[in-house]
Amino acid sequence: MRLNPQPFSMIESGEKTIELRLYDEKRQKICVGDRIRFIHTEGAEKQLVCAVKNMHVFSSFEALYAYLPLRKCGYTEETLPFADPKDMEAYYSKSEQEKYGVVGIEIEVE
């Protein structure tokens, strides 16, 4: 999976342990115990391999945001007050979210 610089560095440092994605066909194949390779969007030579610890599936990002600890999802103490499920519409349309649902993939860097 490809990751922008900020979430890549947050996962690398252990600050972010839950990756938010659309629960499309590709993500539905992921199981606990699998390994995911994250590739930095600004250079494929930067990669992280993470173990999947849990899969948190929800019907919407609204439900996900209400349940999961957002600090583990990539928000910082400074950005937490502004966290909004609509933030994810920059990546996934509302119709895609309704069609597939969403997932918080709990990971640990190996």
Side-chain angles (χ1 to χ4, degrees), residues 53-92:
K53 296 298 186 185
N54 206 340
M55 297 287 288
H56 305 278
V57 179
F58 298 90
S59 61
S60 67
F61 281 113
E62 289 83 5
L64 183 151
Y65 273 50
Y67 182 80
L68 292 179
L70 297 180
R71 287 290 311 272
K72 293 183 178 186
C73 297
Y75 287 97
T76 64
E77 202 61 44
E78 296 78 28
T79 61
L80 201 53
F82 308 103
D84 188 325
K86 291 182 182 169
D87 295 344
M88 297 307 293
E89 289 177 22
Y91 306 101
Y92 308 113

Side-chain angles (χ1 to χ4, degrees), residues 2 17 19 31 47 68 74:
R2 295 175 52 80
T17 58
E19 174 61 16
C31 298
Q47 299 185 11
L68 292 179

Side-chain angles (χ1 to χ4, degrees), residues 22-108:
L22 193 66
Y23 196 51
D24 58 10
E25 291 93 349
K26 184 177 179 182
R27 262 50 75 169
Q28 290 173 23
K29 294 177 183 175
I30 299 172
C31 298
V32 172
D34 285 351
R35 304 294 186 263
I36 297 174
R37 181 177 310 278
F38 290 103
I39 301 167
H40 197 286
T41 56
E42 294 182 357
E45 70 282 350
K46 285 183 142 183
Q47 299 185 11
L48 291 172
V49 175
C50 296
V52 176
K53 296 298 186 185
N54 206 340
M55 297 287 288
H56 305 278
V57 179
F58 298 90
S59 61
S60 67
F61 281 113
E62 289 83 5
L64 183 151
Y65 273 50
Y67 182 80
L68 292 179
L70 297 180
R71 287 290 311 272
K72 293 183 178 186
C73 297
Y75 287 97
T76 64
E77 202 61 44
E78 296 78 28
T79 61
L80 201 53
F82 308 103
D84 188 325
K86 291 182 182 169
D87 295 344
M88 297 307 293
E89 289 177 22
Y91 306 101
Y92 308 113
S93 71
K94 197 73 170 155
S95 62
E96 287 176 310
Q97 295 176 43
E98 290 169 1
K99 179 179 179 180
Y100 295 108
V102 302
V103 63
I105 306 169
E106 194 167 341
I107 54 173
E108 181 177 272

Side-chain angles (χ1 to χ4, degrees), residues 3-19:
L3 277 176
N4 288 324
Q6 183 180 7
F8 187 95
S9 65
M10 290 179 84
I11 289 173
E12 189 173 38
S13 72
E15 186 177 357
K16 178 178 175 166
T17 58
I18 301 175
E19 174 61 16

